[in-house]
Amino acid sequence: MELCSVASIISLRSLAIQRKYLPKLLGFTSSSLKKFCKDVHQPLTETIVGTSPELPQDILMDIFSTLEIPDLIRAGAVCPSWHSACTSLLSLGLYKLAQTPCLLYTSESAGDSSAYLYSLSEKRSYKLTLPEPPIRTRCFIGSSHGWLVTADERSEMHLLNPITSQQIALPSVITIEQVKPIFDEYNTLHKYELSWYTGMRVGNSSPSIFALDKLRDQLHYKAFVFPDASTGSYIVVLIHNPMHQLSFARIGDDKWTWLPPHEGYDDCTYKDGLLYAVTGTGELHAFDFSSGHAVTVEMIIRMRNMYDCGYMYIVQAPWGDLLLIWRMCEDHDLEPEPGAPVFWNTTRFKIYEFDPSGSKLKEINRLRDHLLFLGHNQSLCLSADEYPSLKANRAYFTDDSFLWTTGLKNNHRDMGILNLDDNSKEEFVFPQLCSNFPAPIWVTPDLRKMNAASRGD
């Protein structure tokens, strides 16, 4: 059974509900629990679960609906009745609990086909064995709604759910507007040709030729997976070179669709049929996907007084506004003296609040009881009240500099937790040595399956 096969990676130490009520409901002792949880590395001091056959399935489902995914998977492996309750909860679509983002990273000690998922709430990592191609050979170029977007050694892209191991191949890279295949005398794909034109410029240089595993270092920047309520399908949006242009594909498409003419995009978000994309110069564009056919674009706002060293994010705030966030890297040296390392350190974030309905923009100094997750993931703004293991008014960030993640694969990663009040930085401490490539990325666990064949239109 699928839940049982995954359960050995998960701990029950931090349930997302009031633990003091569970012993009374389930009537089990901590010593009885231990035989089901042999991989728990710290003593369990509270009664958490039991195998009470008298407990009706609907009550079990009510309890399990309050658990975060790590605890839910573990509970489903305890006994057949619990497994049945967990399976019913998922198959009926009743499990809707918001999940705490985790950090996905690789380590040489884990092997090429495994990665680690670091839990911020538990401050421990879980080893995940993932499908081919080997996860340590891929670039992580995005994550949204539980899906990791990767580029393999042939520069082809996949969606991968690291919790369920479901994997979906995206349209071939050769269907991107500026990419053409080069075949050898045996009609085998040999290399790629990348043209440098955009929707705004012809391009003065000749096309470049890249080996299969080198195109991804030049082409892919950042990818997103957005559920499209109007079609019931998903849209994958890719920011790619030359000049950080946009292309998209719906799940089930056989090619990428180019979105000219604009360029220079840093980040995207999707809301109510509109794709909001922000450029590194502070322009905010809205692409209208609501018709399901032709996509239209409109400039919403142009910011002024942008900074020279850094890049932009766009985030949906829980209160309905959009946040435009400028990541500033004032501590850097990209051309060091011989023998000295290149470095690029985030020093602060500038945050602007934007009301799409009124087109009003204002700078805000702090997020009060909210926090940010920034990097190659879909940018997030969460409430600290709903995620008690996280700290308010903080930016949890990973390294998503194009230079670092593709050009300087072995360099130290610029990541950590930044206090937005005083710009002090807290480092992550991992149980294992974290590899610099692929660059670590935030992933929000999700157990939902995706219909790989559905276009929904």
Side-chain angles (χ1 to χ4, degrees):
M1 291 181 290
E2 182 176 3
L3 286 175
C4 293
S5 67
V6 183
S8 62
I9 67 169
I10 304 297
S11 164
L12 268 172
R13 284 192 295 111
S14 58
L15 294 181
I17 60 179
Q18 296 291 332
R19 298 183 187 179
K20 63 181 180 180
Y21 297 119
L22 272 176
K24 297 178 182 179
L25 285 171
L26 303 178
F28 231 62
T29 64
S30 182
S31 59
S32 300
L33 167 67
K34 289 180 181 178
K35 65 181 180 181
F36 300 108
C37 307
K38 295 179 181 179
D39 64 329
V40 175
H41 299 296
Q42 298 184 16
L44 294 174
T45 58
E46 298 173 292
T47 303
I48 301 179
V49 300
T51 55
S52 172
E54 298 83 11
L55 209 58
Q57 188 176 68
D58 59 341
I59 295 180
L60 281 174
M61 290 169 63
D62 286 343
I63 295 172
F64 293 161
S65 68
T66 64
L67 303 180
E68 288 208 23
I69 284 175
D71 303 317
L72 178 68
I73 295 176
R74 193 57 172 280
V78 168
C79 65
S81 64
W82 284 33
H83 179 81
S84 177
C86 288
T87 301
S88 297
L89 184 69
L90 296 172
S91 63
L92 294 173
L94 300 176
Y95 183 71
K96 300 179 180 179
L97 185 72
Q99 304 294 311
T100 303
C102 297
L103 193 64
L104 187 80
Y105 66 96
T106 63
S107 177
E108 185 176 356
S109 63
D112 287 347
S113 296
S114 295
Y116 286 101
L117 197 67
Y118 179 73
S119 167
L120 290 169
S121 58
E122 296 181 289
K123 292 184 171 53
R124 59 170 294 185
S125 297
Y126 303 102
K127 186 178 179 181
L128 306 172
T129 300
L130 300 172
E132 296 292 320
I135 195 66
R136 288 195 72 235
T137 66
R138 310 196 210 183
C139 289
F140 299 161
I141 60 173
S143 77
S144 309
H145 302 281
W147 290 91
L148 182 68
V149 190
T150 70
D152 65 20
E153 289 184 302
R154 295 175 65 86
S155 299
E156 296 288 8
M157 289 167 280
H158 295 82
L159 297 182
L160 171 64
N161 186 322
I163 303 299
T164 67
S165 289
Q166 183 184 7
Q167 183 165 254
I168 298 172
L170 292 174
S172 176
V173 70
I174 65 174
T175 66
I176 292 176
E177 172 71 21
Q178 291 81 8
V179 180
K180 292 182 179 180
I182 299 176
F183 299 97
D184 62 16
E185 64 270 26
Y186 304 105
N187 203 33
T188 300
L189 182 64
H190 179 54
K191 293 181 179 180
Y192 297 113
E193 177 185 288
L194 177 63
S195 297
W196 296 101
Y197 64 88
T198 73
M200 301 181 72
R201 63 191 79 193
V202 176
N204 296 323
S205 57
S206 300
S208 299
I209 307 301
F210 293 99
L212 299 184
D213 64 335
K214 299 302 181 184
L215 178 69
R216 64 182 181 177
D217 295 345
Q218 297 293 326
L219 181 71
H220 306 90
Y221 174 62
K222 191 172 184 180
F224 312 83
V225 185
F226 300 121
D228 184 6
S230 65
T231 64
S233 184
Y234 287 80
I235 296 175
V236 181
V237 177
L238 177 66
I239 302 177
H240 61 87
N241 279 324
M243 300 301 293
H244 286 201
Q245 302 175 78
L246 290 180
S247 292
F248 78 95
R250 289 185 171 89
I251 299 302
D253 284 353
D254 57 7
K255 66 182 182 67
W256 292 94
T257 299
W258 186 32
L259 288 176
H262 300 289
E263 60 190 45
Y265 292 106
D266 277 354
D267 201 18
C268 299
T269 193
Y270 190 81
K271 180 180 181 183
D272 301 328
L274 293 176
L275 174 71
Y276 292 96
V278 65
T279 71
T281 56
E283 290 184 6
L284 177 62
H285 300 156
F287 295 81
D288 190 348
F289 282 75
S290 59
S291 69
H293 300 287
V295 178
T296 60
V297 60
E298 177 185 0
M299 181 182 293
I300 302 298
I301 197 170
R302 177 184 284 120
M303 300 175 67
R304 299 180 179 178
N305 301 321
M306 290 296 96
Y307 305 91
D308 292 333
C309 192
Y311 31 102
M312 292 286 293
Y313 302 94
I314 183 168
V315 189
Q316 292 187 42
W319 56 89
D321 289 346
L322 295 174
L323 301 180
L324 300 176
I325 301 168
W326 188 258
R327 180 170 177 169
M328 303 178 67
C329 304
E330 297 161 319
D331 179 22
H332 61 88
D333 190 348
L334 303 183
E335 297 180 353
E337 297 294 328
V342 171
F343 65 88
W344 175 284
N345 293 323
T346 299
T347 51
R348 60 190 175 116
F349 293 91
K350 300 281 285 186
I351 304 174
Y352 301 86
E353 188 176 38
F354 177 69
D355 177 7
S357 61
S359 297
K360 295 180 180 179
L361 183 71
K362 66 175 181 179
E363 184 176 354
I364 57 178
N365 295 322
R366 61 196 318 269
L367 290 175
R368 298 186 181 274
D369 56 350
H370 288 79
L371 53 105
L372 301 169
F373 278 87
L374 305 172
H376 256 118
N377 57 291
Q378 180 185 345
S379 304
L380 299 173
C381 179
L382 305 177
S383 167
D385 292 337
E386 297 178 13
Y387 298 86
S389 62
L390 305 178
K391 298 177 181 179
N393 203 41
R394 300 294 198 280
Y396 293 73
F397 67 95
T398 58
D399 200 337
D400 59 353
S401 165
F402 186 76
L403 171 68
W404 281 60
T405 55
T406 61
L408 300 172
K409 292 184 173 66
N410 295 319
N411 275 51
H412 176 71
R413 294 298 170 211
D414 174 28
M415 58 185 185
I417 307 172
L418 197 76
N419 186 326
L420 299 177
D421 276 329
D422 58 13
N423 296 321
S424 59
K425 182 178 175 181
E426 178 182 344
E427 302 285 346
F428 297 118
V429 179
F430 302 111
Q432 301 82 17
L433 182 63
C434 176
S435 297
N436 290 323
F437 178 84
I441 189 171
W442 296 115
V443 174
T444 303
D446 197 318
L447 287 169
R448 286 175 292 184
K449 295 282 187 177
M450 183 184 291
N451 183 356
S454 174
R455 273 183 50 89
D457 56 12

